Amino acid sequence: MGDGWQIKMIKSRNNEATIKGSKASTRYTVKVRGIVKVDRTRYYGGWSKPLKIKTAR
C-alpha cells in the first residue's frame, strides 16, 4: 500500500463494514481485499481499486 494509507482489519460476513472513528460528512478513499483463514494459514486476495465513499451526516 502507498504512503498515507492506514490498514484496519474488519470482520464482515454481509459485505458491509463500519469504520470506527470515522467523522460525519467526510469523504474517504478505501481499498478492500478478502482474507480466508484455512487451518492456521491466512490466504489474501488482491486489493480492490480505490473506492470513494462519503459518510452519513
Side-chain angles (χ1 to χ4, degrees):
M1 301 281 302
D3 294 356
W5 290 97
Q6 293 180 358
I7 297 175
K8 296 186 179 194
M9 303 262 311
I10 300 171
K11 288 186 179 182
S12 176
R13 294 188 183 267
N14 59 356
N15 295 332
E16 294 181 3
T18 301
I19 301 172
K20 294 181 182 178
S22 60
K23 297 179 182 178
S25 298
T26 304
R27 293 181 187 269
Y28 289 95
T29 303
V30 298
K31 288 185 175 184
V32 296
R33 71 174 176 174
I35 301 173
V36 176
K37 190 173 182 181
V38 179
D39 295 326
R40 295 183 180 177
T41 305
R42 287 185 180 170
Y43 296 96
Y44 296 90
W47 287 101
S48 70
K49 293 181 180 180
L51 306 169
K52 294 182 180 184
I53 59 170
K54 183 176 180 183
T55 58
R57 293 181 185 200

